Amino acid sequence: MINNYKRGEHDNRPWGTWEVIDCGKGFCVKRITVNPQGILSLQLHHFRSEHWIIVNGTATVTLGEDVIEKSAGEAVYIEKETKHRICNKTALPLTFIEIQCGENLDENDIIRYEDIYGRVK
């Protein structure tokens, strides 16, 4: 089992920020903030599933072929190998908790299909 995350690790991205608030064997918990009008890449992961819990704001979530709206207190489960993204179409920051579960937890397990910031490989 591989987990390359460490508690306290964080990063700034074009769309906002993420910070690891806990991690261990087979799991990682991140707090993610998406700036107003920010959008993550359309992506999937081969080795992990994710559970997103919206803390504040309104999220527009792409999950496979579906696009759904989620608000504070609502959650989304993303099975591995499922294309997904989250978008903040509002004027206020969006914050959610992401719980990753899997055999290989690493930032390199991101396959990007679309990205407005030019990060598709």
Side-chain angles (χ1 to χ4, degrees):
M1 213 173 257
I2 298 169
N3 188 341
N4 287 326
Y5 293 106
K6 293 176 179 52
R7 185 179 294 162
E9 182 179 9
H10 57 88
D11 197 12
N12 294 316
R13 297 291 171 102
W15 46 260
T17 63
W18 60 260
E19 178 182 3
V20 175
I21 55 179
D22 198 10
C23 59
K25 186 176 181 180
F27 78 95
C28 177
V29 181
K30 290 182 178 178
R31 177 179 35 248
I32 299 175
T33 301
V34 183
N35 296 329
Q37 305 305 312
I39 183 170
L40 281 69
S41 57
L42 180 64
Q43 60 188 258
L44 67 71
H45 311 290
H46 292 299
F47 302 106
R48 70 179 186 233
S49 62
E50 296 178 344
H51 194 119
W52 295 346
I53 303 166
I54 309 303
V55 175
N56 62 45
T58 302
T60 302
V61 177
T62 301
L63 186 60
E65 299 297 318
D66 298 324
V67 177
I68 53 179
E69 297 283 322
K70 293 291 182 175
S71 299
E74 295 183 313
V76 177
Y77 178 72
I78 303 148
E79 185 62 52
K80 66 182 176 179
E81 303 285 345
T82 302
K83 287 184 183 178
H84 62 280
R85 85 162 93 206
I86 194 165
C87 177
N88 180 3
K89 294 182 177 180
T90 75
L92 299 172
L94 163 68
T95 303
F96 67 101
I97 301 300
E98 175 182 272
I99 304 166
Q100 302 176 5
C101 296
E103 297 289 319
N104 184 347
L105 303 177
D106 186 273
E107 281 299 292
N108 292 320
D109 183 28
I110 299 174
I111 310 302
R112 290 187 174 96
Y113 293 91
E114 295 174 11
D115 184 74
I116 66 170
Y117 310 106
R119 298 176 299 159
V120 175
K121 294 179 181 177

